[in-house]
Amino acid sequence: MTDRLIRPSIAALRPYVPGKPIEEVERELGLTNLVKLASNENCLGPSPRAVEAVRAAAPAAWLYPDAACFALKRSLSEFHALPPDHFTLGTGSDEILHLISLAFFNPGDEVAFGDPSFVVYESAAALMGCVPVKVPLRAFTHDLAAMRTAITERTKCVFIANPNNPTGTMNTADEVERFLDGLPEHVIVVMDEAYHEYVERIDYPLTLRYVREGRNVVVLRTFSKIYALAGLRVGYGMARPELSKWLNAVREPFNVNSLAQVAAIASLHDAEQVTRTRAMNSAGKAWLYRKLERLGLPFVPTEANFLLIEVGRDSNAVFQALLRKGVIVRTGDLFGLPTYIRVTIGTEDMNRRFIHALELALGEVTEGTIA
Ligand SMILES: *Cc1c(COP(=O)(O)O)cnc(C)c1O
């Protein structure tokens, strides 16, 4: 009966599968001292300045937050040298994806994104009854030429995660330039740059340029990843005022809570924390590459803080075996890659524990099997 109450586009949605929380695994398996490498969080934790700011702001939590996020917008405006009217703040950048859908999508519009890419793009499209257009990756990377070919009269939006999740691959400045060159005006391009701060390659595109030029480009950033505030939920979009005006129009007034606002401001002012994290990630990446090569496991070179590894076996079985050893990762079957796992690059100690557990897990799970 309830099936008839639900909109068909929503009924077709698969629920989001989050990374397993530490507490849940501890309860289920009776383990302690777990390592969670499933959701690409920054294992160093937030800036001490952010923690202090939250502590200082907590007694005022009885007051509604600043609905306009005035101080945070001003900080971001200075940080990016972009006027405040270009910003939309959200409960994580996930919310901005939904605001884009609410503000701009009509039922039947085509919405294009890579396959596999970030799962929220599909739910953002479904939210307004749009037609998802999935463009297969090439060599684990967004095929921007194919995405360009996929654009029709009815295309409203293209979502591009750069670096991409779950592959960690990057599209270059040249590729993005070619993609945007002569793109029809009826298409909004969303550059989702959740892992922007981790990128090491110098040919990474500086997409704010396109926002400044007045193109239909929305650049998304988040405080969940390198700034290590995933639990507080704050992210933002940058777009020309004619677009951001409407994103703000569909936003709930108090969507970013007061503790998140002060923590985000404090984090922006702690460049050292970002530098420390980048250094940890870079070293961890190099170490993991060496270990995986020694184990003979192929992986996709990453520009983010996670790694897609081909385990050559049923990823769910490997996931379960790792779980029993206290390490939580992501299975590739969620992304249509049933013999891959995705692991967050952690601290030196966490990476060691992961590799140790992986060696044991590979011994337990027979090669070539898919459940
Ligand atoms: C983690 C992530 C986000 C956003 O996370 P929020 O916590 O909602 O800000 C957005 N896009 C990609 C590709 C991500 O991996």
Side-chain angles (χ1 to χ4, degrees):
M1 276 310 276
T2 53
D3 289 357
R4 271 198 276 152
L5 299 176
I6 196 78
R7 288 198 282 128
S9 60
I10 301 300
L13 266 183
R14 283 174 304 155
Y16 179 74
V17 184
K20 261 187 181 295
I22 290 177
E23 294 76 13
E24 185 182 321
V25 180
E26 288 183 342
R27 246 188 346 261
E28 285 175 4
L29 298 178
L31 295 169
T32 53
N33 194 21
L34 276 134
V35 182
K36 185 181 181 227
L37 299 172
S39 303
N40 307 335
E41 291 135 334
N42 175 358
C43 302
L44 279 186
S47 159
R49 294 197 208 176
V51 176
E52 190 40 49
V54 168
R55 204 171 271 137
W62 59 281
L63 288 163
Y64 275 101
D66 173 11
C69 296
F70 178 80
L72 175 53
K73 254 189 208 172
R74 192 179 50 192
S75 291
L76 286 169
S77 170
E78 282 165 15
F79 189 81
H80 291 292
L82 197 69
D85 61 359
H86 286 59
F87 291 84
T88 309
L89 272 296
T91 316
S93 47
D94 276 359
E95 190 193 14
I96 312 289
L97 293 167
H98 279 189
L99 296 182
I100 289 168
S101 175
L102 287 174
F104 300 119
F105 297 179
N106 285 306
D109 284 351
E110 289 174 5
V111 173
F113 45 89
D115 184 24
S117 189
F118 192 45
V119 290
V120 177
Y121 305 150
E122 186 151 17
S123 64
L127 188 63
M128 292 308 294
C130 298
V131 180
V133 178
K134 298 183 192 180
V135 182
L137 305 190
R138 234 180 97 198
F140 295 98
T141 310
H142 284 307
D143 185 348
L144 294 191
M147 276 183 158
R148 185 65 196 267
T149 310
I151 287 169
T152 72
E153 282 291 296
R154 286 181 304 166
T155 307
K156 177 55 71 68
C157 179
V158 183
F159 289 115
I160 300 171
N162 198 26
N164 188 34
N165 179 4
T167 57
T169 52
M170 181 198 102
N171 291 100
T172 66
D174 280 351
E175 286 171 347
V176 172
E177 174 74 24
R178 237 173 295 141
F179 177 80
L180 291 174
D181 187 35
L183 193 75
E185 293 266 325
H186 65 272
V187 182
I188 298 170
V189 178
V190 176
M191 299 298 305
D192 181 352
E193 301 180 342
Y195 302 96
H196 165 91
E197 299 87 352
Y198 282 108
V199 174
E200 294 184 315
R201 278 173 58 168
I202 54 164
D203 50 354
Y204 183 69
L206 302 173
T207 50
L208 278 185
R209 208 188 95 199
Y210 301 112
V211 173
R212 292 196 180 90
E213 285 173 3
R215 306 288 300 266
N216 287 338
V217 171
V218 183
V219 177
L220 301 186
R221 299 283 178 85
T222 179
F223 285 94
S224 298
K225 301 290 156 64
I226 209 162
Y227 290 109
L229 297 177
L232 284 179
R233 313 301 304 128
V234 49
Y236 56 102
M238 295 176 279
R240 62 193 178 95
E242 295 79 4
L243 295 177
S244 64
K245 177 173 75 177
W246 297 112
L247 293 176
N248 277 290
V250 293
R251 182 177 67 84
E252 283 185 55
F254 302 113
N255 63 337
V256 183
N257 72 71
S258 50
L259 303 184
Q261 292 189 31
V262 294
I265 294 170
S267 301
L268 264 188
H269 291 124
D270 192 352
E272 271 173 42
Q273 174 77 2
V274 172
T275 308
R276 252 194 314 273
T277 307
R278 279 173 60 98
M280 175 190 79
N281 195 64
S282 186
K285 176 158 95 172
W287 186 84
L288 284 168
Y289 283 6
R290 278 201 307 279
K291 289 289 171 186
L292 293 169
E293 273 159 16
R294 212 163 295 166
L295 286 171
L297 294 183
F299 55 87
V300 181
T302 183
E303 288 300 314
N305 70 332
F306 57 85
L307 202 51
L308 191 65
I309 302 167
E310 186 177 5
V311 287
R313 299 155 169 78
D314 176 30
S315 69
N316 247 310
V318 174
F319 166 78
Q320 293 294 343
L322 287 171
L323 210 54
R324 291 193 294 272
K325 290 154 195 48
V327 179
I328 316 172
V329 299
R330 270 310 175 98
T331 58
D333 58 341
L334 295 168
F335 320 115
L337 298 167
T339 58
Y340 287 77
I341 57 170
R342 191 195 69 191
V343 61
T344 305
I345 301 168
T347 61
E348 203 179 315
D349 180 53
M350 291 172 177
N351 297 337
R352 270 180 209 290
R353 281 194 55 192
F354 163 67
I355 288 292
H356 181 63
L358 182 62
E359 282 178 292
L360 296 173
L362 293 177
E364 291 171 19
V365 182
T366 319
E367 218 164 322
T369 51
I370 299 274

